[in-house]
Amino acid sequence: NTLRAYKSDFKDFAIFCVKHGFNSMPTEPKVVSLYLTYLSVNSKISTLRRRLVSIGVVHKLKGHYLDTKHPIIIENLMGIKRKKGSIQTGKKPILISHL
């Protein structure tokens, strides 16, 4: 299932690259950063992170190096996170009474 998710995520990235005239394999950190910005309109931070991991894994499997921790990517993700906010809503605690 994980490999299927990686393939699906990378396919979406490849479609983005074709539409905008970029190379999807191998790609550059600035292209990945643009893709994450593009996705951020309708996606959660967790989705963006998963997509980033998928792109990195597919590059590695194909024998290409992609620095997924490049400052362009990391700073962009931090900016998106600040802009969107990542408020986590917790669940109410389960109260256990002693008998």
Side-chain angles (χ1 to χ4, degrees), residues 17-75:
C17 288
V18 168
K19 278 185 184 175
H20 296 90
F22 301 124
N23 289 331
S24 62
M25 183 67 67
T27 195
E28 301 173 40
K30 66 181 177 184
V31 174
V32 175
S33 186
L34 287 170
Y35 174 66
L36 295 175
T37 301
Y38 166 78
L39 279 184
S40 71
V41 176
N42 298 315
S43 301
K44 295 180 183 180
I45 293 292
S46 58
T47 302
L48 302 181
R49 287 198 173 118
R50 193 192 78 215
R51 294 285 174 102
L52 178 59
V53 168
S54 298
I55 294 165
V57 167
V58 171
H59 270 70
K60 190 174 185 178
L61 291 173
K62 298 286 185 178
H64 298 289
Y65 175 74
L66 175 64
D67 182 7
T68 56
K69 297 200 184 325
H70 190 282
I72 288 176
I73 295 172
I74 297 303
E75 289 171 15

